[in-house]
Amino acid sequence: MNLHISRYSGKPLYAQLRDEVKRQILDGTFKPGDRIPTEEEICNQYKISRSVIKQAFTELVKDGYLERNTRNGTIVK
């Protein structure tokens, strides 16, 4: 996962993450059925807190882009 997130942007981190993941789904980087990296992987790679990731993923689930499953993780719908 290659995300363009800036702590210096006026846009909140969760919104940047949400928009980046959504962009990658829409441009075909992530396809239906693909597993999104775990919250822990994103935390470690991009140094963002889990609460930021949870908020972004919750919105993407609500908007129908992702599906969360305790057994399989976060999957693109």
Side-chain angles (χ1 to χ4, degrees):
M1 178 183 275
N2 185 18
L3 301 173
H4 304 285
I5 296 175
S6 171
R7 295 188 186 293
Y8 305 106
S9 168
K11 191 175 195 179
L13 289 174
Y14 85 89
Q16 292 180 59
L17 176 61
R18 177 200 62 215
D19 292 348
E20 280 291 303
V21 172
K22 181 178 174 180
R23 178 187 61 77
Q24 290 185 17
I25 291 169
L26 294 174
D27 76 10
T29 302
F30 290 118
K31 296 173 181 36
D34 284 352
R35 187 177 308 167
I36 299 292
T38 66
E39 291 176 4
E40 185 176 352
E41 290 169 338
I42 296 170
C43 284
N44 291 335
Q45 185 172 357
Y46 295 99
K47 308 295 184 228
I48 12 184
S49 73
R50 245 189 172 135
S51 63
V52 167
I53 298 164
K54 283 182 188 288
Q55 187 172 3
F57 282 7
T58 297
E59 289 192 10
L60 288 166
V61 167
K62 185 181 90 183
D63 293 342
Y65 291 97
L66 297 177
E67 179 178 302
R68 297 192 96 175
N69 183 313
T70 53
R71 194 175 75 222
N72 295 326
T74 304
I75 309 291
V76 177
K77 271 187 141 177

